[in-house]
Amino acid sequence: MSIQIPRGTQDILPGEVEKWQFVEDTAKEICRTYQYKEIRTPIFEHTELFQKGVGDTTDIVQKEMYTFEDRGGRSLTLRPEGTASVVRSFTQHKMFGQPNQPVKLFYNGPMFRYERPQAGRFRQFVQFGVEALGSEDPAIDAEVISLAMTLYKKLGLKSLKLVINSLGDKESRISHRTALINHFQPRIEEFCSDCQNRLEKNPLRILDCKKDRDHELMKSAPSILDYLNNESKTYFDKVLLYLKELGIEYEVDPTLVRGLDYYNHTAFEIMSSAEGFGAITTLCGGGRYNGLVQEMGGPETPGIGFALSIERLLAALEAENIQLPYENPVDCFIVALGEEAKLKAAVLLQQLRQHSFSADMDYLDRKMKAQFKAADRVHAKYVAILGEDELQKRIINLKNMETGEQKEVAITDFVNQFIQLSK
Ligand code: HAM
């Protein structure tokens, strides 16, 4: 058998790739209006970055990283997410000293996780994400959420649900942590070995366990919202107020903890509630990570962001039956017959393309009828016929494929005439 693509990856072929381009262009355009600038970081980083950044007790670090040793003996990892890299870059390039604060960044690129592939879950997937660093204003939490919602809505999605929670500041988390340990400890042997390990290291992670999801102690676990101190509560209330003023509906879910360790205060997910959307309904996840820059060796700097995968976004569009309005028809297909005509056609094609028209011709030496068929297949708006007769008369027969109208144009004036016609 010929060599096949690795499990959990996909080829994106012409026909499908236009959807990706449309979605990615829309995301970039929205970032322009929100003033988020693009950042590109390497696909692989030192393994330590993710161990420190994403967290040692997370599924991502424990089970899902593509880690390898390079020929120099360094441990490297294909990035499983974008935030740790962005924060590393922000710190390394001292962006905290930049006059323009907060620093608002976006990225779009492949991420890698060794997960069990299924609908909406890949081993290589593309995340579009944003990170706003340097501000601890609840308004920017709302801005980040609004950016994600704007993208989904602009693309036409309607069945969306924003779920939000607060994980509080350090003080709130410490008291919640103690409550969680007291809650789970007496019956911890009923939980999986991962959860047993997590009890002391990071009991919040237990709430995110896929295996023990249905254990009765999960439902009765102490809610973080009951442990928020005044500052955290006020912060959360302000974020919710901003959302309300921006007309963004939300649902507060005190069980939302997210799968990465760096979060505090705001944590959110956007889900698809479309009928027929697969078992995995989370389209986008994000939150605040005020301690991460410091953890990476930078000065204390607050941050917030989100990431969403293009794969799940496209799946949501499909579930809602939304057709994207992209097209790239051929403006002019030149039907050329014979060597001399082909030579002329090649020059005309070049001129048309220099004027930004999409133009093409036959490269298989086909007969006139077959060339017309080829032009039809690519939905050419015009077909320019250049045969021996035309060459002798120094003209081109230009046919409007929509109306069937045909007119003779001097070869020397062809491109000018085409520009006029296309206005
Ligand atoms: P995350 O929740 O791990 O967060 O991933 C964010 C989004 O990436 C998910 O909601 C989903 O759309 C997509 N995603 C994750 N894994 C897969 C997969 N295996 N296949 C397809 N799509 C997937 C983060 O990555 C954080 N860095 C988000 C963030 C940015 N928080 C703050 N800033």
Side-chain angles (χ1 to χ4, degrees):
M1 202 166 72
S2 58
I3 299 171
Q4 303 287 302
I5 200 169
R7 224 164 101 72
T9 67
Q10 54 177 350
D11 295 318
I12 302 151
L13 307 180
E16 190 63 22
V17 81
E18 291 80 0
K19 294 182 194 164
W20 287 73
Q21 290 166 340
F22 187 86
V23 165
E24 288 169 343
D25 287 350
T26 308
K28 281 178 194 158
E29 172 54 19
I30 291 171
C31 283
R32 187 189 65 76
T33 64
Y34 279 75
Q35 282 291 315
Y36 284 67
K37 306 278 158 62
E38 184 172 5
I39 181 165
R40 299 186 189 195
T41 60
I43 302 257
F44 58 82
E45 298 266 6
H46 292 293
T47 302
E48 196 194 346
L49 175 74
F50 303 113
Q51 287 168 337
K52 251 182 140 177
V54 176
D56 268 336
T57 55
T58 59
D59 274 356
I60 294 181
V61 170
Q62 286 188 346
K63 303 175 188 164
E64 297 171 0
M65 294 208 301
Y66 281 91
T67 297
F68 59 97
E69 204 170 272
D70 75 2
R71 286 166 196 272
R74 300 170 197 90
S75 178
L76 299 172
T77 294
L78 299 184
R79 60 182 186 191
E81 60 104 50
T83 311
S85 302
V86 169
V87 168
R88 185 218 21 87
S89 179
F90 174 87
T91 307
Q92 185 171 340
H93 299 287
K94 299 190 172 53
M95 285 189 236
F96 43 80
Q98 236 169 244
N100 235 358
Q101 297 290 334
V103 175
K104 305 205 290 186
L105 303 165
F106 81 85
Y107 50 90
N108 184 60
M111 308 291 162
F112 306 84
R113 295 184 194 177
Y114 190 79
E115 293 195 84
R116 198 166 53 78
Q118 63 190 95
R121 180 171 286 154
F122 298 88
R123 289 184 173 166
Q124 175 175 331
F125 55 97
V126 174
Q127 268 189 352
F128 162 74
V130 311
E131 312 292 350
L133 293 126
S135 164
E136 203 179 354
D137 185 334
I140 204 145
D141 299 45
E143 176 179 279
V144 160
I145 295 172
S146 144
L147 197 159
M149 291 301 272
T150 301
L151 172 61
Y152 288 133
K153 287 193 175 148
K154 192 156 187 189
L155 292 168
L157 288 177
K158 295 206 168 59
S159 307
L160 297 168
K161 193 166 87 173
L162 167 65
V163 181
I164 189 165
N165 190 20
S166 171
L167 301 175
D169 62 6
K170 217 174 188 172
E171 188 188 80
S172 313
R173 287 157 67 96
I174 290 173
S175 46
H176 183 231
R177 180 192 147 88
T178 312
L180 284 173
I181 295 178
N182 291 339
H183 178 75
F184 286 113
Q185 198 153 37
R187 291 172 65 186
I188 194 67
E189 66 286 352
E190 294 169 30
F191 286 77
C192 71
S193 57
D194 282 345
C195 283
Q196 295 184 14
N197 286 331
R198 285 163 178 158
L199 185 70
E200 287 300 329
K201 279 193 195 152
N202 189 355
L204 196 66
R205 279 269 75 76
I206 298 177
L207 300 178
D208 200 35
C209 178
K210 287 166 197 145
K211 278 193 214 140
D212 293 322
R213 202 178 8 212
D214 298 324
H215 194 289
E216 59 172 320
L217 283 191
M218 288 293 209
K219 281 178 214 93
S220 54
S223 159
I224 177 72
L225 293 183
D226 295 331
Y227 292 83
L228 293 184
N229 57 15
N230 281 341
E231 268 173 35
S232 301
K233 190 165 173 354
T234 307
Y235 192 89
F236 191 40
D237 286 343
K238 281 191 187 160
V239 174
L240 299 182
L241 178 66
Y242 271 100
L243 289 176
K244 192 166 160 262
E245 288 301 310
L246 293 175
I248 300 172
E249 283 177 32
Y250 59 82
E251 194 179 285
V252 175
D253 178 355
T255 66
L256 178 78
V257 294
R258 309 271 305 122
L260 305 96
D261 276 353
Y262 44 62
Y263 293 114
N264 38 53
H265 289 290
T266 315
F268 66 95
E269 289 188 354
I270 301 170
M271 342 274 269
S272 168
S273 50
E275 232 175 87
F277 194 70
I280 300 172
T281 54
T282 305
L283 299 178
C284 168
R288 186 161 272 289
Y289 45 86
N290 290 350
L292 193 56
V293 176
Q294 210 173 10
E295 184 112 350
M296 298 291 173
E300 206 180 321
T301 310
I304 178 156
F306 72 75
L308 59 89
S309 73
I310 309 288
E311 287 83 356
R312 288 194 196 166
L313 197 171
L314 292 174
L317 288 170
E318 198 165 314
E320 291 198 32
N321 264 322
I322 294 165
Q323 302 288 332
L324 298 176
Y326 62 83
E327 52 175 19
N328 181 18
V330 172
D331 294 315
C332 184
F333 190 98
I334 305 185
V335 168
L337 297 158
E339 269 310 304
E340 202 184 331
K342 268 178 65 185
L343 207 56
K344 197 85 223 155
V347 175
L348 294 174
L349 273 186
Q350 178 170 302
Q351 291 171 359
L352 285 171
R353 290 166 178 166
Q354 278 164 356
H355 282 91
S356 294
F357 292 111
S358 76
D360 214 345
M361 67 187 253
D362 173 65
Y363 292 102
L364 296 171
D365 270 333
R366 285 182 277 209
K367 301 235 159 54
M368 168 108 120
K369 209 168 149 195
Q371 289 197 34
F372 259 98
K373 261 198 188 152
D376 246 2
R377 264 198 298 273
V378 294
H379 308 295
K381 289 187 201 157
Y382 284 91
V383 171
I385 308 150
L386 192 54
E388 273 172 27
D389 278 1
E390 283 87 358
L391 263 186
Q392 249 175 17
K393 290 204 256 171
R394 296 181 189 286
I395 55 132
I396 285 184
N397 257 311
L398 187 61
K399 184 172 178 185
N400 181 327
M401 296 300 278
E402 205 181 307
T403 61
E405 251 175 82
Q406 196 161 324
K407 74 183 229 177
E408 288 186 353
V409 184
I411 293 181
T412 47
D413 199 31
F414 173 68
V415 176
N416 268 338
Q417 289 272 339
F418 198 84
I419 295 169
Q420 293 308 318
L421 272 176
S422 306
K423 274 186 181 161

